[in-house]
Amino acid sequence: MTEFDGPQTRRDFLKKTTALAALGITTSLTPDLVFAQAKTDLKGVTIDYWNMIGVQNRLVRQLSESVVKAFEQKTGAKVNVTWNSYGDIIGPKYRTNFQGGVKPTVFDAFDRWTGQLRPFLRPMNDFIENNLDAQTRKGLQWTLPLVQDQNRGFKDAKNICDLPFALIPQAPVLARRDHFEKAGLDFTKEFPIRDTDHYIAVCKEIQGKARIQYPTEVYGKIWDFGDTQLNGWIRSLDIETSDFLDADWTKSNATSEAWIKGVQFYVDVYQKHKLSSPNTPQSTDEEAVDLFIRGQKSIVHCDILNRGTLLEKMKGPMEDGTVQWGPHFPITGGKSGSSVFLAMATFEIVRQEGPDAALKERAAFELIKEWLLPENQIAYARTAGLCAREDLFPKIVGAPDRYGEVGTAMLKGAGVWNNHPRSVDFQYNLLAPHGQKALQGASVADELKAYAEEVNAALKT
Amino acid sequence: MTDDRSSPGQKALGHGGLALVLALVLIPYVYVIVTAFKPAEEIYDATWLPQRISFDAWIEVFEVNRFHLYLWNSLVAGAGSAALAILIAVPGAYIFARKEFRFREPFFYMIVGTLIFPFILLIVPITITWIRIGLFDTFIGLWLAFQIFAVPYSMWILRGYFAGLPKNLEEAAMVYGCTQFQAFYRVMLPLAKPVIVSVLFLAFLQGWSDFLFSNMLTTGDGPRTASVAIYASTAGGERVDWQVLMVMTLLTGVPPVVLYMLAQKHLAKTFAAT
């Protein structure tokens, strides 16, 4: 993979990115000086922003606060920020509040969680066409067909109600060079992992020679069974049936051959190969990252969102190249050409009512534009993942841990999950219990059949 | 248990067992305290004591998370709920304990019976109703929602206590010139002080630590409580700052412990008497 070639030192990376990120913070805090020409008069307009992305990561939260402050100073508008948790949108809170009339002007979320709120959302096609500068529009253009695809079951699928600002390809591999070396493996030859046979072979070498009892992990817990590495393995076998639902959202894909084979391999990592810990039916990628940091794991799949934690908890190994990211890999024999699903962090504008509705909606889009400025996109990417703007990808490569190179390389041909109003149930609540049973010895085919029946019944209601 | 007739070996075994149980109970608390003072890079170290004592998490909790605001909200939510529960439950329990009227028992068990209803089923209708009548995102809304649980169990405890008091107490007070209300106010209430303190404590604790209603009925800069703020800092995402979480846990856990120590005598009397 030539994308990962070429030595990069920490100094090189810092030279390139610190100045850009510093500009992001500086311009956000003193926007009048730098963006005076971009001023938009929205004086007297107040918007409500429900912020989810910044709630947990201190650095993102600080960036988010500075972006809002910059927006207020530039436009004269006021923003009431509410910090919400992921559980609020996955659970009943957002839906109940929206139905009751308690709604923000703008909020951020993950792309596939907003289908339940679609009737409340204002399409942004006109804003994208008329209010976005050419460079930003060009940088985001590639994401728009993906957004339309994941909303394909809605009659108004062409309407862009979710505008991506950050990307989380699922799921890159994090590896410890020191464990490879301890097992006598040449890291430069054995990493990135090529396919599942290679994965098993490397893990067994590490298990046997480096004495790491469970060098990798597959995840059984509700939030990670269906959204980390499993889906990419299924996709590597067959793109058509890899999403949870079929093309027109009429039935589950889970009984397909690709699903059965993919889940069987997932179970085998734990049951047959004994490479995943006894806690597997309840394990999460966050826990695996904890164990990785403690030196008890060698190869784990996890979101690039974990990068902030890694930088904080194992700064040295991240900077000297001991810890490296690699792309997700296919099941051996998988010839589909893609083994990645792409989750996107998106902005949504809620339809407003009353005489100042248009002004509020415009103000909401202006706030989104602030997030899409190069300096803010790059500052976000440095701590929490990838930015959505393709034109800025060259600015986020070069770190010793290669997160930028790996993340952007994974985007080629990546798929997106459906945004059905009940996607949370399909992807998490209904799937995980069956996955856990399979991990504990039940027949994979039977469990997937039972899951598909539940999904199909839900689709009919 | 050991007594004076126990052999030294039996005593040692008894004390050893107690020490083991005590350690099992205390170790998680000690771990919470220690972790709250660990720097981020030492969180995953398998050591008990931090190599460097750090107050970074404490600073972050107050400066970044502004957790003191949520603690204040919890205090107001808990205190208001406790006061309202007492205002409703004391006269109610007194009537159900000391007065005879038709359907007294069925009415009482209808009220207390709501305790076995799963509250989670009420959360969506209550949220919608609260939004419609303007109680959403207000302390009053929280206080009223908490009464769904606080009033029935307060009445249950208080009624048992009032019913156990001698019947001639009020009669004696009235012989000495008290009205019915004065007999209740001057005689019965002072006698019920331990149980009222206990009920206050329990109702406060429920409001202080409630998550379900506090999460669904508040938003933004409204009366969001500490338990919701802790949830928001850990639920979902890929990052848990354990040291920050431990500081929040400590700060949220300490006030009920202090209150318990203050109310301990009254609680013991209450549960002995009811």
Side-chain angles (χ1 to χ4, degrees), chain A residues 40-110:
Chain A
T40 308
D41 189 14
L42 291 165
K43 222 171 195 170
V45 179
T46 300
I47 60 172
D48 294 313
Y49 170 26
W50 285 7
N51 185 324
M52 188 188 73
I53 51 149
V55 73
Q56 253 186 288
N57 183 328
R58 177 166 33 90
L59 297 174
V60 177
R61 186 173 175 137
Q62 285 169 346
L63 176 65
S64 182
E65 283 171 343
S66 71
V67 167
V68 167
K69 195 173 172 187
F71 165 76
E72 287 181 330
Q73 288 182 4
K74 280 184 201 173
T75 62
K78 185 174 173 351
V79 185
N80 294 324
V81 182
T82 295
W83 302 95
N84 288 321
S85 73
Y86 287 19
D88 289 336
I89 187 166
I90 294 171
K93 186 167 177 176
Y94 271 41
R95 200 167 51 242
T96 310
N97 284 0
F98 274 55
Q99 282 166 355
V102 176
K103 300 175 280 194
T105 322
V106 58
F107 67 97
D108 58 59
F110 284 111

Side-chain angles (χ1 to χ4, degrees), chain A residues 8-22 382 395 397-398:
Chain A
Q8 287 284 347
T9 63
R10 180 182 170 224
R11 183 178 293 272
D12 293 334
F13 176 69
L14 289 178
K15 270 186 195 168
K16 288 177 193 169
T17 54
T18 305
L20 285 162
R382 286 192 66 193
K395 313 275 188 192
V397 297

Side-chain angles (χ1 to χ4, degrees), chain B:
Chain B
M1 289 293 286
T2 58
D3 58 35
D4 290 338
R5 287 168 295 178
S6 304
S7 69
Q10 284 174 316
K11 280 183 182 173
L13 203 63
H15 287 126
L18 286 173
L20 184 69
V21 172
L22 188 66
L24 285 175
V25 172
L26 287 183
I27 282 171
Y29 293 99
V30 173
Y31 196 76
V32 167
I33 294 166
V34 170
T35 307
F37 292 99
K38 275 188 174 179
E41 64 272 15
E42 287 185 39
I43 288 298
Y44 299 116
D45 290 353
T47 54
W48 269 98
L49 293 176
Q51 292 175 358
R52 173 174 71 83
I53 290 178
S54 168
F55 291 95
D56 292 350
W58 293 81
I59 293 166
E60 185 174 337
V61 160
F62 289 108
E63 288 189 356
V64 179
N65 296 84
R66 295 186 276 274
F67 196 62
H68 51 286
L69 301 177
Y70 301 113
L71 285 172
W72 172 253
N73 287 343
S74 287
L75 181 70
V76 176
S81 173
L84 191 58
I86 286 294
L87 276 176
I88 298 169
V90 168
Y94 176 76
I95 299 290
F96 275 112
R98 313 291 286 191
K99 297 290 167 195
E100 293 291 338
F101 55 91
R102 282 186 77 189
F103 305 120
R104 184 179 75 158
E105 293 303 301
F107 279 147
F108 178 73
Y109 286 108
M110 271 171 66
I111 293 170
V112 174
T114 58
L115 285 174
I116 59 172
F117 191 81
F119 297 120
I120 198 160
L121 298 180
L122 296 173
I123 197 70
V124 170
I126 284 185
T127 305
I128 299 277
T129 309
W130 262 222
I131 289 170
R132 288 188 182 149
I133 62 177
L135 289 175
F136 182 82
D137 215 20
T138 64
F139 277 118
I140 297 172
L142 281 183
W143 294 338
L144 287 174
F146 293 156
Q147 300 316 308
I148 293 168
F149 182 71
V151 165
Y153 82 69
S154 300
M155 282 184 69
W156 190 14
I157 294 171
L158 283 161
R159 189 215 195 207
Y161 191 83
F162 282 129
L165 293 174
K167 286 200 183 305
N168 54 8
L169 277 175
E170 290 135 305
E171 289 166 11
M174 288 165 83
V175 166
Y176 282 98
C178 285
T179 63
Q180 174 83 59
F181 179 74
Q182 283 169 330
F184 164 70
Y185 179 71
R186 290 188 172 173
V187 178
M188 302 301 279
L189 269 189
L191 285 171
K193 188 180 156 194
V195 75
I196 288 173
V197 171
S198 303
V199 165
L200 268 172
F201 171 74
L202 293 171
F204 173 82
L205 197 61
Q206 188 232 340
W208 173 272
S209 56
D210 172 82
F211 171 75
L212 191 61
F213 287 116
S214 304
N215 184 44
M216 284 298 288
L217 299 177
T218 63
T219 189
D221 297 326
R224 181 177 274 188
T225 58
S227 57
V228 181
I230 293 175
Y231 167 68
S233 74
T234 60
E238 304 300 327
R239 185 186 169 102
V240 177
D241 285 324
W242 291 105
Q243 67 283 16
V244 171
L245 181 63
M246 293 305 144
V247 173
M248 289 182 176
T249 306
L250 260 185
L251 289 169
T252 312
V254 165
V257 173
V258 172
L259 275 180
Y260 173 78
M261 289 161 83
L262 293 174
Q264 194 185 8
K265 273 186 192 171
H266 298 299
L267 283 166
K269 277 185 196 169
T270 300
F271 291 113
T274 52

